[in-house]
Amino acid sequence: MSAAGGAFGGNRGLRPVPPEKGIFPLDRLHLCDLEKVEYLNCLKTAGHQSEKCRQFSKKYLQCRMERSLMAKQDLAELGFKESNVETLGGKVTDRVVTQDQ
């Protein structure tokens, strides 16, 4: 056993640093519960294929940003680039969704 590693192999002198993304306040006041439930219901009915529920995921993230439960960020940076979307005319477009849309 190494003296620097401790009994279970971890360095006891260093403090853990949280990751930059993925850590945000819990929704203790249930401000975005409706959006969360809609997304989870969609996942259940879609056989947990998240691609089919992107609009609900987007709506949930927008709710969290609006209520300061996570940092405001451009939705394109979060992976909400709509590619190969069919329009009413049947054409395929490539557009980026922003928070203003």
Side-chain angles (χ1 to χ4, degrees), residues 40-55:
L40 293 174
N41 285 339
C42 178
L43 283 176
K44 286 179 187 176
T45 59
H48 297 282
Q49 295 178 12
S50 61
E51 186 63 33
K52 294 181 178 181
C53 302
R54 288 180 57 80
Q55 75 273 15

Side-chain angles (χ1 to χ4, degrees), residues 29-98:
L29 299 177
H30 307 284
L31 301 173
C32 297
D33 270 4
L34 176 63
E35 291 81 359
K36 178 179 72 173
V37 168
E38 286 177 341
Y39 177 64
L40 293 174
N41 285 339
C42 178
L43 283 176
K44 286 179 187 176
T45 59
H48 297 282
Q49 295 178 12
S50 61
E51 186 63 33
K52 294 181 178 181
C53 302
R54 288 180 57 80
Q55 75 273 15
F56 295 107
S57 175
K58 176 183 164 189
K59 189 175 168 185
Y60 176 64
L61 292 173
Q62 285 176 321
C63 177
R64 291 190 61 86
M65 285 187 257
E66 289 167 2
R67 289 163 176 81
S68 299
L69 293 169
M70 65 183 283
K72 291 188 179 184
Q73 191 171 357
D74 186 10
L75 289 170
E77 294 174 15
L78 297 174
F80 288 95
K81 178 182 178 199
E82 292 183 16
S83 27
N84 300 332
V85 176
E86 286 191 34
T87 61
L88 293 175
K91 297 179 182 178
V92 176
T93 61
D94 201 24
R95 72 182 182 111
V96 174
V97 178
T98 61

